[in-house]
Amino acid sequence: MAITRIHLAAATAVAFSAIVLGGTVIRIALSSDALMLRFSFSQPLTWIMGLIGILVAWGLLKHYRWAWWLGMGAAAYELYRVGSVLVEHFSFSRPPAFWPLLVAVLMLTFLVLAFPSHVRTSCSR
């Protein structure tokens, strides 16, 4: 099976879930003054975001229409959340933190991969 845009979009959703569910480890490894993702296994939002990413990836691979819509909405929302934090903490003297920037790039990549009309129409179930 050839790798298509929908497979790459599903891979970015899985990568996002891995970052979210691995966020506790990332937070422990970073120093306290760094701008970082604040995910914890005790927060229900962490589990919801991680499971939505996995659900979107599975649904895209099965070509479900609801997965495309859920992925687009979730990626746009997460891009807004992370983007607003990056803009709020923007400084010319310090580069942006790696993990929030990585999440923003993943969400932007997902949107670029999944947005074309032929990808949406391939999700026809």
Side-chain angles (χ1 to χ4, degrees):
M1 177 187 305
I3 295 178
T4 61
R5 290 175 76 106
I6 204 159
H7 291 101
L8 294 173
T12 58
V14 169
F16 172 73
S17 292
I19 289 172
V20 167
L21 295 176
T24 303
V25 177
I26 293 168
R27 188 173 77 182
I28 291 171
L30 291 175
S31 65
S32 62
D33 63 342
L35 174 64
M36 61 188 146
L37 300 174
R38 300 220 185 259
F39 297 127
S40 172
F41 287 130
S42 63
Q43 295 177 345
L45 183 61
T46 301
W47 290 102
I48 290 169
M49 288 171 34
L51 292 176
I52 284 176
I54 292 169
L55 186 66
V56 164
W58 176 80
L60 286 177
L61 291 176
K62 298 290 184 178
H63 297 279
Y64 288 123
R65 185 174 295 133
W66 58 262
W68 186 88
W69 285 105
L70 180 62
M72 294 303 281
Y77 175 72
E78 190 62 27
L79 187 61
Y80 169 74
R81 280 187 59 213
V82 172
S84 64
V85 169
L86 287 173
V87 167
E88 182 180 322
H89 290 74
F90 179 75
S91 171
F92 285 113
S93 61
R94 273 185 16 194
F98 176 73
W99 294 107
L101 195 59
L102 178 64
V103 169
V105 167
L106 277 174
M107 294 299 99
L108 205 62
T109 303
F110 180 86
L111 290 172
V112 166
L113 287 170
F115 191 73
S117 61
H118 65 85
V119 176
R120 186 186 59 199
T121 56
S122 72
C123 296
S124 58
R125 291 170 82 185

